Amino acid sequence: MHHPTICVLAVSLLSALPGAQGMYTKKSPVLQIDAKNYDRLIAQSNYTSIVEFYAPWCGHCKNLKPAYEKAAKNLEGLAKVAAVDCDDDANKQFCGSMGVQGFPTLKIVRPKKGGGRPAVEDYQGQRTASAIVEAVVQRINNNVVKLEDKNLGKFLSDKNDTAKAILFTDKGTTSALLKSIAIDFADVITIGQVRNKESKTVETFGVDKFPTLVLLPGGDAPGVVYDGEIKKEAMVKFLSQAGEPNPDPALPKAKGEKKEKKSSKAQAKATSSETSSSAAESQSETPTQQAPVIVETALPIPAINTPEKLIKECLTEKSHTCVLAFVPSSEDEKAKEALASLSELAFKHAQSKRHLFPFFEVPKGNERAASLLKALDLSNDVEIIAINARRGWWRHYQAADFGRVNVENWIDAIRLSEGVKKKLPEGIVAISVEEQTPEPTPEETPEPTPDVTESVSSEETTPVTLEPSIDAASDSSESTPTQTVDPTVEPETAAETPIKHEEL
């Protein structure tokens, strides 16, 4: 006969086992969710998600766990990989409402374009990491605008005051990486993609290496070329100069603002409900929840290292205003102060959507820089000037230090056309160079990026969806879905290496 105390002890010990708390811990790349936070974290998410409905005692669920966690690592930053413990009493009714009849059950949740409830479909593929990644990547929404020579003008002129970014690539498909970035910046920065065969567009921006990412801050501000690695975190930081990425999940305040006519009693009840729900969610959410990276500090201003680049950016007949910081070395103390001030000012104006002329660091080792300084009779270790070759004037920064306040006052004076402008000496403007590069638009600040191998899978064939601003002819010829072809994913062994988004 079994002693009742022993039975109670056994039950207590079993309930204390990790499996009883859910198979996926806070350290797991899989996001552990429940009935209370599913709607906010998954259904209202901007990202495509895959959700596993499991029971800790299920043998097939335990067998799936390694592959599922491996898939989560590979999809980090691209999609959400989540799990619900259906053996938890608090989740049983929810699992039933989702049509779960056995374990494990996998469902892919895809946001609906334009809002509304997401599409939910059962995953019926193989229970391997590569197959799961493949299925999820295929269902990532595509907000990237496919650009061609014929629609570039419309793309640039539409909502001209808002920021845009263009990826120049030799690939014919849109990578999961670029799709995820377009989701991050939806309604903030319009993301476009152009192939290297579109010669007119490539020549307009002076791009000669692929991939190259160009940020167009908006208005008359010139483009800025990204020279970092083709990795999501770095690219998001770069684009954040022009606007903050969308939070995910979205901030839960829009609904409250739309229902201002509620009675005070109803509002108090809703507030109380939201507070208790948020408290419950905070205990169950894990740190694996994805959130866009927001730049909190200014990025360094771009450097001009070659004479050709200096001429092309600032010293041709059609060059607009440039601010140039001539420095002996970026490690020099005065140079650090000057560059930091300019960097902070560029960041400040980009965040406030006020578009300034471009700032550039110019090492004094640049031969053209040396001749320009000599022609302007400037000899200090660190010099800052504003120059407008098109109108033939320049201004010299003459304050005793390079602190932000003084530099900002000087920049504001130029922006407001205050103060005296000096006439450029003869021979500064390079007419012949401009004749060889007849780019028509003022946004051209093409800066070749270092050789970076774009290893985003060229076989990922989810169609490029055109924005409403693109003409109908482009829509009909370019955006036909090809859902019968699945994307190719790296072999299983590749997932064991550190995550590299560009390899998806």
Side-chain angles (χ1 to χ4, degrees):
M1 180 172 130
H2 298 290
H3 196 284
T5 305
I6 296 177
C7 293
V8 172
L9 180 60
V11 171
S12 300
L13 290 173
L14 286 173
S15 64
L17 291 175
Q21 304 297 322
M23 291 196 306
Y24 301 100
T25 66
K26 290 185 177 181
K27 293 182 179 181
S28 172
V30 175
L31 178 64
Q32 183 79 39
I33 62 173
D34 55 34
K36 292 181 178 180
N37 59 24
Y38 166 84
D39 192 60
R40 189 172 69 88
L41 296 180
I42 303 298
Q44 296 179 22
S45 175
N46 302 322
Y47 302 98
T48 295
S49 306
I50 185 166
V51 182
E52 177 194 4
F53 298 85
Y54 73 93
W57 45 260
C58 164
H60 292 300
C61 301
K62 294 176 182 177
N63 292 336
L64 174 64
K65 181 180 178 181
Y68 199 60
E69 290 189 316
K70 188 180 291 185
K73 290 179 181 178
N74 279 308
L75 289 169
E76 183 181 358
L78 307 178
K80 288 187 173 183
V81 179
V84 179
D85 180 2
C86 293
D87 199 45
D88 187 331
D89 289 339
N91 298 329
K92 286 182 178 179
Q93 183 177 352
F94 168 67
C95 292
S97 70
M98 293 295 291
V100 176
Q101 298 179 346
F103 306 119
T105 293
L106 299 177
K107 292 180 180 287
I108 296 178
V109 184
R110 185 177 189 176
K112 183 179 180 181
K113 289 189 176 181
R117 299 298 296 177
V120 181
E121 61 176 298
D122 288 331
Y123 171 72
Q124 303 288 1
Q126 295 180 343
R127 303 292 175 87
T128 63
S130 60
I132 292 171
V133 169
E134 182 179 348
V136 174
V137 164
Q138 186 185 11
R139 289 162 177 81
I140 296 176
N141 286 338
N142 189 359
N143 300 325
V144 179
V145 181
K146 188 171 184 179
L147 296 176
E148 299 175 336
D149 290 343
K150 62 184 179 182
N151 63 19
L152 175 66
K154 183 172 179 62
F155 174 80
L156 295 176
S157 62
D158 185 43
K159 298 180 180 178
N160 183 50
D161 290 336
T162 62
K164 300 177 177 69
I166 303 176
L167 178 70
F168 294 82
T169 176
D170 54 5
K171 307 294 183 184
T173 55
T174 305
S175 69
L177 172 60
L178 192 61
K179 289 180 188 177
S180 70
I181 291 175
I183 291 170
D184 287 340
F185 290 96
D187 299 324
V188 179
I189 301 175
T190 303
I191 307 293
Q193 175 174 315
V194 63
R195 199 171 180 182
N196 58 343
K197 67 178 184 178
E198 303 298 329
S199 57
K200 180 180 177 181
T201 302
V202 172
E203 290 173 5
T204 296
F205 286 88
V207 174
D208 56 8
K209 293 182 181 180
F210 304 91
T212 292
L213 179 66
V214 178
L215 172 62
L216 306 175
D220 294 329
V224 182
V225 178
Y226 173 67
D227 59 1
E229 295 181 285
I230 303 298
K231 292 185 178 180
K232 180 165 184 179
E233 183 177 351
M235 294 172 73
V236 168
K237 283 185 177 181
F238 170 74
L239 294 176
S240 294
Q241 297 177 90
E244 294 184 0
N246 299 303
D248 190 86
L251 299 176
K253 65 180 180 180
K255 287 187 177 181
E257 292 173 353
K258 292 181 180 179
K259 298 180 180 180
E260 294 177 354
K261 295 183 180 181
K262 276 187 175 183
S263 67
S264 58
K265 182 177 179 181
Q267 289 177 341
K269 183 177 179 180
T271 303
S272 175
S273 175
E274 288 175 5
T275 303
S276 59
S277 175
S278 299
E281 287 172 9
S282 64
Q283 295 176 359
S284 58
E285 293 173 20
T286 72
T288 58
Q289 178 185 338
Q290 303 158 12
V293 179
I294 299 175
V295 174
E296 296 179 353
T297 57
L299 297 174
I301 61 174
I304 295 180
N305 295 308
T306 65
E308 296 78 14
K309 177 67 176 173
L310 180 57
I311 293 171
K312 195 171 186 180
E313 295 292 354
C314 305
L315 300 180
T316 70
E317 280 186 318
K318 293 186 178 181
S319 295
H320 290 251
T321 304
C322 293
V323 172
L324 305 177
F326 298 92
V327 296
S329 167
S330 58
E331 298 302 318
D332 179 87
E333 289 304 319
K334 283 189 176 181
K336 282 183 179 180
E337 184 181 25
L339 296 176
S341 296
L342 290 173
S343 176
E344 290 170 9
L345 290 174
F347 180 73
K348 171 185 173 181
H349 285 269
Q351 292 293 77
S352 63
K353 305 282 175 70
R354 288 188 296 170
H355 306 298
L356 281 178
F357 22 79
F359 301 163
F360 295 107
E361 171 191 351
V362 185
K364 283 196 171 180
N366 186 321
E367 293 179 5
R368 185 72 182 192
S371 61
L372 177 59
L373 290 171
K374 184 177 180 180
L376 299 178
D377 195 24
L378 300 176
S379 58
N380 292 327
D381 289 340
V382 177
E383 297 281 11
I384 299 180
I385 68 168
I387 184 170
N388 188 314
R390 183 166 175 255
R391 296 187 181 275
W393 60 260
W394 72 285
R395 291 190 62 171
H396 182 212
Y397 177 82
Q398 295 178 308
D401 65 79
F402 297 97
R404 173 174 166 169
V405 174
N406 286 337
V407 174
E408 186 169 20
N409 290 338
W410 181 73
I411 292 291
D412 286 343
I414 296 171
R415 187 167 58 87
L416 299 172
S417 296
E418 297 175 351
V420 179
K421 297 172 182 176
K422 300 178 183 180
K423 184 178 179 181
L424 280 175
E426 294 292 332
I428 295 293
V429 180
I431 300 175
S432 60
V433 174
E434 180 63 14
E435 290 175 348
Q436 296 173 6
T437 57
E439 293 88 1
T441 65
E443 285 119 348
E444 303 158 12
T445 55
E447 183 175 343
T449 58
D451 285 321
V452 180
T453 302
E454 181 182 48
S455 52
V456 177
S457 173
S458 61
E459 300 178 24
E460 199 279 287
T461 57
T462 302
V464 174
T465 302
L466 302 180
E467 294 288 337
S469 61
I470 305 304
D471 49 27
S474 298
D475 277 1
S476 60
S477 61
E478 296 299 332
S479 60
T480 304
T482 56
Q483 297 179 355
T484 57
V485 182
D486 290 342
T488 300
V489 189
E490 292 292 321
E492 289 287 328
T493 55
E496 297 175 359
T497 60
I499 180 66
K500 295 181 180 179
H501 296 309
E502 70 272 18
E503 294 184 354
L504 290 176

